[in-house]
Structure formats: C-alpha cells, structure tokens
Amino acid sequence: MTASSAAAALGPVPSNLLPDNAQVGANGHLHVAGVDLVELAYDYGTPLFVYDEDHLRARCREAVDAFGEGVAYASKAFLCRAMARIAHEEGMHIDVATVGEMHVALAADVPADRLVMHGNNKDTSELAEALEAGVGRIVVDSFDELDKIEALVSAGAQPPDVLLRVTPGVKAETHDFISTGQNDSKFGFGVSSGAAATGVERAIASDAMNVVGIHSHIGSQVFRVESLAEALEVIARFSEPYGLPELSIGGGLGVAYVEGEATPSISKWGAMTREVADRLCIGASIGAEPGRAIAASAAVTLYKVGTIKELPGIRTYVAVDGGYGDNPRPVLYGSDYTTFLPRCPGADRTLVARVVGKHCESGDVLVSDAHLPPDLTVGDILATPVTGAYGHSMGSNYNKVFRPAVVFVRDGQVREVVRRETVADLLATDIG
Ligand code: LLP
C-alpha cells in the first residue's frame, strides 16, 4: 500500500517502550528474550500477550531494593499464577483487591501471610474468607468495614493486622477515573474531614484488630512523583501521634506508553520517598504497591492484521483480530499506544492509520493515529508495546471474542501461562 496518509513520520520504536530483553535478531525480526515475535504469533495464535519474564523479575527486585520488605505487587495490573509466583519469588508481598485475586495468589502457593487485602466495599463473606485464609494485612476502607471485622471476630475469627486507608487530600495529576487521593473519593477515610482520626482511634481501641499502619494511594499513572511525596508527608504527619510502625504509600508510578514520554524509575521513586522520610524523621517503615511499573513495559501484544481500508481523503483503517476486549484503556481513558511491525522493527513508520479491533462498535479503537511502515499488508503481525498492565487483567469477552493467551519468554524458551479461551470456556458458566 502507499503512504498516502503519511503525516509526521516516526522512526523505529524506541527501546524504552520495549521489554528489557528485546533485540533485533539476525533475520531482522524483533526477538524478546531470544524468541522471534513473528514466529511466536504463528505458533500460539493472535492476539497474544508476550511477557519478558526477566523484565518482570528485574522490576520486582528493583521494587524490593527501593522499598524493602514492605513492598507489594498490585496484582490488579496483571495476575495469573505464574505472575504471582514471580512476584513472591522475588520477595514482594501481593496486593489483592478481591477474594478472586486472593484465590489466584493462593493457588500459586503464595503464603496467605504475604497477601495484603484491599477493596473499598469488602463484603462480609469476602472478609471472612480473607480472615480464614490468614491474609497478612487487611487495608480497612470504611466504618462499615470496621463493623464487619468486629462482627467476624466476635463470631470467632482471629483479629487481623490492619492498616487504615486514608485519603490525604492530594489530587494526582492523572485521569479522573484513576485519581483516588482527593477529598471527593469513594476510597478510604478523609484526613481533612476528621474521619481518618475517628476511624483510627476507633480501630486502635477495638480488640477485634491490631492496627499496624496507615495506607494511602492517590492514583495511578502518576508522572509527578512530587504528588506521591506530598501524600507521604500528609500521612506521616497524620500517623505520627499514634506511633504506628507502618506507612504505605500505595502504587501509582506512571510509565511511558508512547514516544517522547519519560517517567522516573522505581529506584528513583524509592530514593525520593527515603529523602522525604529522612527530612521528616519518619520512624515508621514505608511500603509501596507498584503494579503498572512492574508489568506494563514487560509485555507486547501481538495481533494479526485482517483488513486494511483506505477511505480516500478521510483515513486508513487497519483492523486487527483483538480490540478493546484485550485493551480497554484507549476507550476508557483515552490512552495512547504506539505500534510497530515485529518483522521490521527498525523501519521508518511513515503511514498514519487508525488501528481498530473486531468488536461491533466504532469506539473499538486501539490506536487513533498509529504510525506504521508503509508496506503494511493484510496478514502482517502488528505489535502494541507497553500492554503488560491493565490489559489482560481488564479484558472482557464482549461479542464472545476469546480472551487471548499469555506467554512468558525467557532465555530463548516460551512458556504458555494462560491459554486462549475456547468455546467450552464461553459456555462453562452458561448453565442453560
Ligand atoms: N494500590 C492500590 C490501593 C490501588 O488501588 C492501585 C491501583 C495500586 C496500588 C497500583 O497502582 P499502579 O502502581 O498500578 O498505578 N485500570 C487503570 C488503573 C487503575 C488502578 C487502580 N488501582 C488503568 O488502566 O490505567
């Protein structure tokens, strides 16, 4: 096809948007951990999530080095048993937001005491399951939850170790849907309203729980680490009179998705956190819960191009065999991604086209203005990098599209960790 819709051309996809172990192979194709992405797509089908296992492990270790013992992997970013094992083996706790996430982590043989249980509306039965399993920490989010824990302990459950989640009144500069630290929030106990003080005092006075700390999470995809530092100051000052041993600053560190974006590393975030802690003479240990920063750039999604429609004077549509079922972020948050062809990762990308999926809605757009090599053709394998977080985990099978498979690659080996859905899976819960 011609580059008739060419606009600002882009060169090769930059390496900071690719997994650590991405390299151009002798055949010119992009390889990750020594595995040819084009061959992988043919062997395992598309869409396919491909994770660089050593990249995941390296980010987990970086988080442990940066924050120490109190760091947890926020499993909502991406969870399957293989991922839970990796985070655990590399020394992280695991943040689970529901009993569903809890059971996946337990099924990966992660000990319950390494789990931190979150959720703004934990049901009594969920809390009962968490207490029964013996999760290490429960992050309490409301007065109703204090009531529920007290009722469960009166009925015989063991009193859990808890942190109270507070909203520090710090607005993260991110999309409103994923900003959580402002006063107007469904999460936590407000510091400025006095609810946090009332909640902590009540919890400390209660025999039904052992209060070990204060938690806050101001939002996700945060680029300004100063906002995270500001929240730490608020919770440290709030917690100080109670002499609690733990503070958790949640997750939220942003990642670069497209050309020209840059974010601080986990190490830098840790160093900045330590600086604030030293300046304020914070005695408590400080934990964190990165999700996106661990998993996002570890993966690329591979799709197959099925249709190319050139609409003269309008635009070119490139339709792939996935869509918002495997990546709802563009539709939900207006998130941008980049694209490249693994058969020629070094090619200039002079064709501008809209990459769309196969769902029955015009909103099913993966990349609005994707830059691609001009010789793009039907049957090509097309990749979107930085899809390792909140892609597979937020996927759906709308239109009964099968959820994709997930493979981990390492040292030239491929390990399928989640298989592609089948018709039998679609019908498994449909009992007639
Ligand atoms: N801790 C808590 C209590 C959280 O609620 C979250 C994310 C994290 C840690 C991890 O945040 P991260 O380090 O991944 O930013 N679906 C959205 C993101 C929602 C994040 C929800 N909570 C997206 O795709 O951008």
Side-chain angles (χ1 to χ4, degrees):
M1 70 180 303
T2 64
S4 55
S5 43
L10 282 185
V13 64
S15 60
N16 72 314
L17 301 179
L18 295 174
D20 287 353
N21 298 296
Q23 246 186 350
V24 180
N27 61 359
H29 294 179
L30 193 75
H31 290 54
V32 176
V35 178
D36 184 329
L37 292 183
V38 178
E39 279 176 24
L40 205 49
Y42 288 123
D43 290 348
Y44 289 87
T46 48
L48 183 69
F49 284 91
V50 183
Y51 282 81
D52 175 354
E53 180 169 342
D54 282 332
H55 178 128
L56 289 170
R57 288 185 182 275
R59 292 302 181 283
C60 291
R61 284 197 296 275
E62 186 182 348
V64 173
D65 288 346
F67 289 97
E69 162 61 14
V71 72
Y73 168 61
S75 67
K76 68 205 81 184
F78 167 60
L79 182 63
C80 59
R81 286 184 299 167
M83 181 64 221
R85 266 184 226 114
I86 286 174
H88 176 58
E89 283 165 13
E90 299 300 343
M92 298 187 85
H93 288 77
I94 300 189
D95 148 6
V96 293
T98 60
V99 287
E101 290 179 354
M102 177 184 89
H103 283 298
V104 174
L106 291 175
D109 291 330
V110 176
D113 65 1
R114 302 292 295 175
L115 304 182
V116 182
M117 179 84 185
H118 274 282
N120 71 301
N121 180 18
K122 303 177 194 76
D123 185 66
T124 301
S125 66
E126 287 189 292
L127 284 166
E129 276 188 62
L131 293 183
E132 170 82 28
V135 299
R137 299 276 183 277
I138 292 186
V139 181
V140 177
D141 202 276
S142 66
F143 290 108
D144 295 315
E145 192 176 335
L146 291 173
D147 294 342
K148 291 175 193 175
I149 293 174
E150 283 176 339
L152 287 166
V153 172
S154 324
Q158 275 295 106
D161 285 346
V162 304
L163 289 90
L164 268 77
R165 177 167 177 171
V166 304
T167 36
V170 175
K171 171 103 173 70
E173 283 166 21
T174 186
H175 193 286
D176 277 353
F177 290 2
I178 52 178
S179 179
T180 49
Q182 67 281 5
N183 291 327
D184 182 356
S185 171
K186 72 170 182 172
F187 295 101
F189 298 86
V191 172
S192 63
S193 69
T198 310
V200 171
E201 283 156 27
R202 182 180 146 189
I204 288 175
S206 169
D207 292 335
M209 61 201 83
N210 174 29
V211 183
V212 296
I214 299 298
H215 175 282
S216 88
H217 168 81
I218 63 166
S220 195
Q221 186 58 356
V222 177
F223 275 59
R224 234 185 119 253
V225 278
E226 292 76 10
S227 306
L228 300 168
E230 219 181 297
L232 171 59
E233 284 207 42
V234 175
I235 63 166
R237 289 189 201 290
F238 169 77
S239 172
E240 221 253 312
Y242 304 109
L244 299 172
E246 295 180 20
L247 293 176
S248 171
I249 56 171
L253 185 65
V255 304
Y257 280 92
V258 293
E259 289 80 359
E261 282 182 340
T263 47
S265 63
I266 297 173
S267 308
K268 182 145 186 253
W269 178 33
M272 185 212 63
T273 305
R274 276 195 305 280
E275 269 167 42
V276 175
D278 290 347
R279 179 163 51 77
L280 299 177
C281 301
I282 297 175
S285 71
I286 300 174
E289 292 163 351
R292 189 189 314 263
I294 301 286
S297 57
V300 303
T301 309
L302 302 177
Y303 301 98
K304 190 153 80 184
V305 174
T307 308
I308 301 175
K309 279 187 194 162
E310 286 187 58
L311 307 189
I314 304 177
R315 71 176 75 252
T316 299
Y317 281 92
V318 175
V320 297
D321 51 358
Y324 69 31
D326 58 78
N327 187 2
R329 301 194 68 260
V331 181
L332 278 175
Y333 317 116
S335 308
D336 203 6
Y337 285 82
T338 193
T339 45
F340 68 96
L341 300 184
R343 71 167 160 82
C344 54
D348 279 344
R349 292 168 294 157
T350 54
L351 169 73
V352 179
R354 181 157 290 177
V355 176
V356 297
K358 64 182 292 163
H359 295 278
C360 297
E361 296 191 23
S362 295
D364 178 24
V365 173
L366 283 169
V367 189
S368 270
D369 293 303
H371 289 76
L372 288 157
D375 65 346
L376 175 79
T377 181
V378 167
D380 260 332
I381 301 302
L382 179 151
T384 50
V386 204
T387 53
Y390 304 110
H392 187 268
S393 67
M394 295 212 302
S396 74
N397 52 19
Y398 177 46
N399 295 139
K400 299 293 182 234
V401 170
F402 305 128
R403 285 188 177 86
V406 179
V407 296
F408 281 15
V409 291
R410 190 182 202 195
D411 293 336
Q413 304 295 315
V414 187
R415 182 157 69 105
E416 188 173 25
V417 296
V418 180
R419 67 155 171 76
R420 189 172 305 286
E421 270 183 352
T422 61
V423 174
D425 294 319
L426 295 182
L427 292 169
T429 53
D430 182 337
I431 53 173

